[in-house]
Amino acid sequence: MPHAKTILAAGLALCATQANAAEPSMDWLAGQWCGGEDGRSIEEVWLPEAGGSLIGLSRTLRNGALESFEFMRIVRAGEQRGLHVQPNGAPPTLFAIAQTGEGWVRLENPENDFPHVIEYRRDGDNLRAYIAGPGPDGKEMKIPFDYRRCGV
């Protein structure tokens, strides 16, 4: 039955190709991104995807002093799939990849106190992000972050 094996192998290859095609690369996030205002500057650096993950870090300075930092890792497949964030070196919190498309990703963790949602969208040399979740009054609070490629 070599014919059946050939058909099975071709079918598996087609499924793998369609699975990869269904979820675009996230290399659009790679680079050094700068933002901030009113004496506050924020930098995010993302390495290109390798080994199924993107590695990132951020730091926030207020009037030149370190206010906060964060280690980040986006895993694209398997049990660890999602964004792992470690603000100020805390243990990782996982935000699942809820939706993704060409140049954008939405991540969610409704069990986290705040935020519940993190979203990134790339537009040329601009990267727009926001975090959202319940505010102190229980109503939805959304905090935007506008970045540009550093040095542009």
Side-chain angles (χ1 to χ4, degrees), residues 59-80:
R59 70 175 170 191
T60 301
L61 302 172
R62 183 174 298 279
N63 298 318
L66 183 64
E67 182 176 85
S68 64
F69 66 94
E70 186 168 47
F71 299 114
M72 303 168 290
R73 176 173 58 111
I74 296 176
V75 178
R76 303 243 305 138
E79 291 180 21
Q80 296 295 309

Side-chain angles (χ1 to χ4, degrees), residues 102-116:
E102 194 63 44
W104 67 276
V105 64
R106 180 184 174 96
L107 307 131
E108 298 178 351
N109 180 341
E111 304 301 316
N112 193 46
D113 55 353
F114 186 88
H116 287 182

Side-chain angles (χ1 to χ4, degrees), residues 1-13:
M1 289 227 189
H3 183 65
K5 287 182 184 178
T6 303
I7 292 172
L8 178 60
L12 291 174

Side-chain angles (χ1 to χ4, degrees), residues 44 118-122 127-131 142-147:
E44 280 196 23
I118 301 170
E119 187 168 301
Y120 286 96
R121 288 187 179 269
R122 169 90 182 265
L127 181 66
R128 301 191 193 307
Y130 73 82
I131 58 176
K142 186 174 182 180
I143 302 171
F145 298 89
D146 290 321
Y147 299 107

Side-chain angles (χ1 to χ4, degrees), residues 14-101:
L14 179 61
C15 288
T17 301
Q18 287 176 341
N20 289 340
E23 190 167 288
S25 165
M26 291 184 60
D27 276 345
W28 55 266
L29 189 54
Q32 184 177 7
W33 303 95
C34 294
E37 56 188 30
D38 299 326
R40 189 175 192 216
S41 64
I42 305 171
E43 288 177 273
E44 280 196 23
V45 177
W46 287 93
L47 298 175
E49 185 173 350
S53 296
L54 287 89
I55 303 295
L57 60 96
S58 73
R59 70 175 170 191
T60 301
L61 302 172
R62 183 174 298 279
N63 298 318
L66 183 64
E67 182 176 85
S68 64
F69 66 94
E70 186 168 47
F71 299 114
M72 303 168 290
R73 176 173 58 111
I74 296 176
V75 178
R76 303 243 305 138
E79 291 180 21
Q80 296 295 309
R81 186 175 191 267
L83 171 66
H84 302 254
V85 295
Q86 292 181 258
N88 297 311
T93 299
L94 176 62
F95 287 80
I97 298 172
Q99 297 175 307
T100 187

